[in-house]
């Protein structure tokens, strides 16, 4: 009889988590290919990708501080690379106001925020507590991101439409949470396992809602004035692919796995 050791099982779940998270990170590629073809990012917002980059950099920092956290480092290194690529394309083709807004957020959140965290940890936190401190920061950020599906779930219940909550994406994100939960559990890392419990529960809830409303007729809401050329103030944190905790559930509110165009569907308002 073949027995699998705990560390071998942990590696298996971590590897599967890398594979699923890799797919989640790549899910916005069709949208950004469309931006490239149209030479315009009008109607799209960059905030979800800034949040995704922040999450990946936090987890990368955490993985570097831990010992032998190669699976966390590998996927979040790729996550940083792909999110920077998305933001680079967005900035190239975005209108001037959106470009400036995006650059300011990157400077404040991704560069300033991470730099401040690194500085504070280095100056104020004793060496033996640094890993746990960064771990708590990562877990808190991931929990906040995982709570973002509440908005799209509310929209589904209100409109009785799953237009903005595709089953395949919800299933992928739930599977992602399961893999990283068991990885964290097996290596006894509560900062990896804990947030994915919430991610799994929200993923199951989304799939239940999908089964309830996928055949339902849409409830028409009042039509809105087109906002194609207007900036949006709302953030779809559900776009964040939480990896290794994470990443972000990441992108369940968006049909294509990326920020959707600001249009005015007859069935629902923009979340």
């Amino acid at each position: 009889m073949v027995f699998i050791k705990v560390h071998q099982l942990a590696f298996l779940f971590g590897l599967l988590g890398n594979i699923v998270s890799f797919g989640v990170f790549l899910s916005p590629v069709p949208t950004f290919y469309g931006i490239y073809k149209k030479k315009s990012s009008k109607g799209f917002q960059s905030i979800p990708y800034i949040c995704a980059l922040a999450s990946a950099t936090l987890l990368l920092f955490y993985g570097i501080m831990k010992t032998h956290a190669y699976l966390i480092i590998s996927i979040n290194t790729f996550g940083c690379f792909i999110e920077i690529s998305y933001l680079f394309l967005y900035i190239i083709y975005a209108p001037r106001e959106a470009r400036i807004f995006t650059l300011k957020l990157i400077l404040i959140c991704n560069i300033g925020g991470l730099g401040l965290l690194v500085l504070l940890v280095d100056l104020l936190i004793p060496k033996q507590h640094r890993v746990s401190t960064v771990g708590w920061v990562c877990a808190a950020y991931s929990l906040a991101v995982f709570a973002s599906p509440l908005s799209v779930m509310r929209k589904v219940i209100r409109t009785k439409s799953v237009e903005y909550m595709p089953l395949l994406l919800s299933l992928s994100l739930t599977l992602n949470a399961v893999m990283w939960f068991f990885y964290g559990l097996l290596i006894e890392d509560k900062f990896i396992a804990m947030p994915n419990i919430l991610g799994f529960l929200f993923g199951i809830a989304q799939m239940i809602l999908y089964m309830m409303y996928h055949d339902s007729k849409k409830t028409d809401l009042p039509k809105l004035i087109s906002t194609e050329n207007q900036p949006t103030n709302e953030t779809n944190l559900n776009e964040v692919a939480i990896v290794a905790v994470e990443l972000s559930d990441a992108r369940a509110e968006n049909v294509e796995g990326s920020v959707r165009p600001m249009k005015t569907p007859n069935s629902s308002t923009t979340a």
Side-chain angles (χ1 to χ4, degrees), residues 121-143:
V121 168
D122 185 60
L123 295 178
L124 303 179
I125 307 299
K127 190 173 182 179
Q128 65 271 24
H129 297 307
R130 289 176 183 175
V131 173
S132 61
T133 299
V134 176
W136 280 116
V137 172
C138 291
Y141 186 89
S142 299
L143 285 171

Side-chain angles (χ1 to χ4, degrees), residues 98-126:
R99 185 185 303 121
I100 293 174
F101 177 72
T102 298
L103 289 171
K104 286 181 179 179
L105 282 183
I106 292 174
L107 182 62
I108 295 172
C109 300
N110 300 115
I111 299 176
L114 180 63
L116 181 62
L117 176 64
V118 173
L119 184 63
L120 291 176
V121 168
D122 185 60
L123 295 178
L124 303 179
I125 307 299

Side-chain angles (χ1 to χ4, degrees), residues 190-210:
K190 60 179 175 290
F191 306 119
I192 299 299
M194 182 174 58
N196 283 289
I197 297 174
L198 185 62
F200 171 74
L201 293 176
F202 276 128
I204 293 297
Q206 288 182 68
M207 287 189 287
I208 291 174
L209 285 177
Y210 186 92

Side-chain angles (χ1 to χ4, degrees), residues 39 41 87-95 99:
K39 310 297 182 185
S41 61
L87 289 168
F88 180 74
L89 276 175
Y90 181 89
I91 291 170
I92 289 176
Y93 297 114
R99 185 185 303 121

Side-chain angles (χ1 to χ4, degrees), residues 134-160:
V134 176
W136 280 116
V137 172
C138 291
Y141 186 89
S142 299
L143 285 171
V145 171
F146 274 133
S148 63
L150 290 173
S151 61
V152 70
M153 292 166 67
R154 182 182 59 189
K155 178 189 290 290
V156 170
I157 295 172
R158 187 175 71 247
T159 64
K160 302 187 186 303

Side-chain angles (χ1 to χ4, degrees), residues 233-249:
N233 294 324
E234 299 193 31
T235 304
N236 183 0
L237 288 181
N238 213 28
E239 297 290 338
V240 180
I242 298 283
V243 177
V245 194
E246 196 179 336
L247 285 198
S248 176
D249 101 4

Side-chain angles (χ1 to χ4, degrees), residues 17-27 75 78 176 243:
N18 268 252
I19 294 171
V20 177
S21 298
F22 185 83
V24 173
F25 274 128
L26 290 178
S27 60
I75 189 58
F78 174 75
N176 187 56
V243 177

